[in-house]
Each structure stands twice: as structure tokens, then as C-alpha cells.
Amino acid sequence: MNGFKVLQVQQSVFADNDRRAEQLRQELKTQGVFLLNLMSSPGAGKTTLLSRTIESLNGKLKIGIMEADIDSDVDARTIEGFGAKVIQLHTGGMCHLDAEMTRQGLEALGTNDVELAILENVGNLVCPAEFDTGAVKKAMILSVPEGDDKPLKYPLIFSVCDVVLINKIDVLPYFDFDMERCAANIRTRNPAAKIIPVCARTGEGIDAWTDWLCNEVTAWQKP
Amino acid sequence: MHELGILSSLVHTIEKIVTEEGLTEVEKIVIEVGELSGIVPRYIEQCYPAAVYKTFMEKTALELVTVPGIVKCRDCGLVFNAAANDLRCPDCSGQNLEILEGNDMIVKELVCR
Ligand SMILES: Nc1nc2c(ncn2[C@@H]2O[C@H](COP(=O)(O)OP(=O)(O)OP(=O)(O)O)[C@@H](O)[C@H]2O)c(=O)[nH]1
Ligand SMILES: [Mg+2]
Ligand SMILES: [Zn+2]
């Protein structure tokens, strides 16, 4: 047969990433580093929320931030202005980060002096949800102007997140966004999700968010 | 783009297999793409040349097989083709569906020397 060989492989592409992610998570556990994957659509307020989070934690946790963007370093410079350790990851046109890219990002950031590492994922409600980055927990932001029907339209991301932050509550009077309806829509996809309404601009509701973060980091660092 | 990243990680996966099996050249790969995987077969085809460019798979042919998305209605138990029914149960209109098949992307076969 001309030296040909047909190899039956049956290897899942997603399973490969999942394995790398699990390995990364175990290493982070050993190092006592809590990694959070923060997702949202473009402009929902990830960078603003992170700035407010750094401010509000006020040195209580050693934070390192990875800003993933297709291009540019605008967000990294913003975060740097708030005094946190930060690096910019360029995804080279890619719409999401996988476990391998996240590992490289963490290596570039350096985690020796970091307890809480946060990955600001690429602004997108579809692709980032499909890839386990190795993060310990996942959070997403839904901002009021996007509408309360988003959990119905993008079910996957809502079903994989541990926390859903509803941001820009300061503009609630100008939109037909119904908080109760939104919460119900999220619960049909993910009954366990913690829902935290916030205003990243003014800091309203941020304490509930930072309390959650502190508790999760402490729990993760327990042997 | 989504598909390009997936393909790059796929090249890694195959490289590992090839090394483990002590193979030299991969003539063709056969990949199954589920209709509910969120991956668009047409994009996979378009991105493929870029993903294998300057890798050991540069000359490897790609064969794509689409796997239908089969779901089960959690309300009435009916099993049906998701895409053909617009992700809605044709019996009870339920949308609470459990995916049985077609949400993965699998490297099925390597044709090697
Ligand atoms: N009114 C109001 N505006 C906000 C709030 N939070 C963020 N914004 C504004 O929303 C815009 C986008 O915020 P960013 O923090 O850059 O959003 P992002 O999610 O990081 O955006 P990308 O990184 O581009 O995806 C900015 O003009 C912010 O000032 C809020 O709570 N209320
Ligand atoms: Mg940003
Ligand atoms: Zn049904």
C-alpha cells in the first residue's frame, strides 16, 4: 500500500485545550495565584471596572492584570495609571484567548508577586466563552445599554460565568432595561450565577464585587 | 478570527501525535466539525492555509466532515436535528435542549507515510 498508514485519532480539539487549562489551573493552585477571566462585549466597561476594582481594593490584594486586545495598548496604559502591574497581550487578530496564550501571558506578567491575576479577555460574547483559559473563576459584564435580552441571545457565555456584573446602572432611567427580567433571563441559563449590579463610573455596588473577589482568593489560597 | 486560533492549536495537537507515533509526513487530515460546535466549516477551509503555513503540515491536505447537531428536548424528550428545526422542539416548541451530538471538533484520521 505504498507505505501509507491511516491513523484513527479521535482527538477532540476542545479536549486538548481543556487539558492544558486544567494543568495551568493546578499550577496556579500550587503557586497560590487566583486567575479570573473577565469577559464582555466591546465597551461594556471591563477596563473601567478593573480601574475601580484596583482603587477599591487599595492594596488589599496584590493584583496583576493582562489586557488582551487584538491591537493597541490603550487599556494597559489606563490600568498602569491606576498603579497596578499590567501587561498588554496582542492576540494577533484572534477573537479569544485559549489556555496556551493565557499561560504565555502569565509568564510575561510574572506571578511571583501576584495573588489576583485578571485577564481582560477580548471584547466578544461568543468566542471567549468557548475556551477554558485555565482561570479559577469566570466573570462577565453586561452593561445596561446592551439590553436585558442578551442572556437569551448569547446563552453560552451566561451559562459558563460564575458572576454576572450588570454595569452602567447609572443610565437605567434612559433605557427600557428591566433588572428583574434580566436576572430571570440569566437564571434560566445559569441558576447558580451571582448577579451584581454595579456602576463602574461612580463605584456604586463595587463593594459587593470586591468582597466576592477577596473571598474567592482566600478560598483558593487555602491548601 | 476564531477558526484560525482553533486551527493553530490543532497543528500543535497533530504535531504531538506525529512525534509520539514516530511518523514523518502527514498526507491528509480528516476533521469532523459538529453543527453545534460554533465552528464554521467554510472558515476552517479559508484559514487552513494560513494556519499550516511554514509548519510541518504545509503540504497536508484537509478533509472536513460535518456532523449533524442532534439534541434532546428536556421538556418532552423528543430527539431531533437542531439546525433543521431552528433550535426549537418541533413537538412542544421547547428551547431547553440537551446536546447529544455535534458540539465538538474532532481530529478523526491522519493519513501518513
Ligand atoms: N455611564 C457609564 N459609563 C460607563 C460605565 N462604565 C464604563 N463606562 C463607559 O463605557 C465606555 C467603555 O468602557 P471601557 O471600560 O473602556 O469598556 P471595555 O469593556 O474595557 O471596552 P473594550 O476593552 O474596548 O472591549 C467608556 O466610555 C466608559 O467611560 C458606567 O458604569 N456608567
Ligand atoms: Mg477594555
Ligand atoms: Zn419538546
Side-chain angles (χ1 to χ4, degrees), chain A residues 43 45-48 67 69 75 120:
Chain A
K46 297 180 291 299
T47 307
T48 311
E67 290 289 343
D69 261 313
D75 286 352
E120 177 178 334

Side-chain angles (χ1 to χ4, degrees), chain A residues 129-155:
Chain A
E130 293 177 10
F131 286 83
D132 188 345
T133 56
V136 182
K137 295 280 167 170
K138 301 181 197 128
M140 69 170 292
I141 303 177
L142 172 66
S143 62
V144 167
E146 293 171 75
D148 54 31
D149 59 350
K150 287 299 164 291
L152 304 178
K153 292 186 176 169
Y154 300 93

Side-chain angles (χ1 to χ4, degrees), chain A residues 94-106:
Chain A
M94 209 102 82
C95 53
H96 66 271
L97 286 171
D98 62 16
E100 187 54 36
M101 293 186 270
T102 305
R103 169 190 293 283
Q104 287 167 12
L106 286 166

Side-chain angles (χ1 to χ4, degrees), chain A residues 2-14 16 19-20 93-96 98 127 130-131, chain B residues 1-2 5-6 10 12-13 16-17 21 23 27 37 39 104-113:
Chain A
N2 239 348
F4 275 103
K5 181 175 168 191
V6 177
L7 214 69
Q8 304 289 334
V9 186
Q10 281 292 354
Q11 187 157 349
S12 160
V13 168
F14 293 118
D16 192 53
R19 211 169 26 246
R20 286 170 209 246
M94 209 102 82
C95 53
H96 66 271
D98 62 16
C127 318
E130 293 177 10
F131 286 83
Chain B
M1 200 194 299
H2 197 55
I6 293 167
L10 184 128
H12 278 297
T13 308
K16 225 166 48 203
I17 298 170
E21 300 283 330
L23 303 163
E27 296 271 321
S37 67
I39 294 165
D104 208 341
M105 173 166 166
I106 294 169
V107 185
K108 191 89 179 141
E109 273 179 25
L110 303 184
V111 181
C112 308
R113 272 192 201 278

Side-chain angles (χ1 to χ4, degrees), chain A residues 98-125:
Chain A
D98 62 16
E100 187 54 36
M101 293 186 270
T102 305
R103 169 190 293 283
Q104 287 167 12
L106 286 166
E107 277 165 12
L109 178 73
T111 49
N112 282 341
D113 54 350
V114 170
E115 292 171 289
L116 168 63
I118 303 180
L119 171 66
E120 177 178 334
N121 216 313
V122 183
N124 179 336
L125 289 184

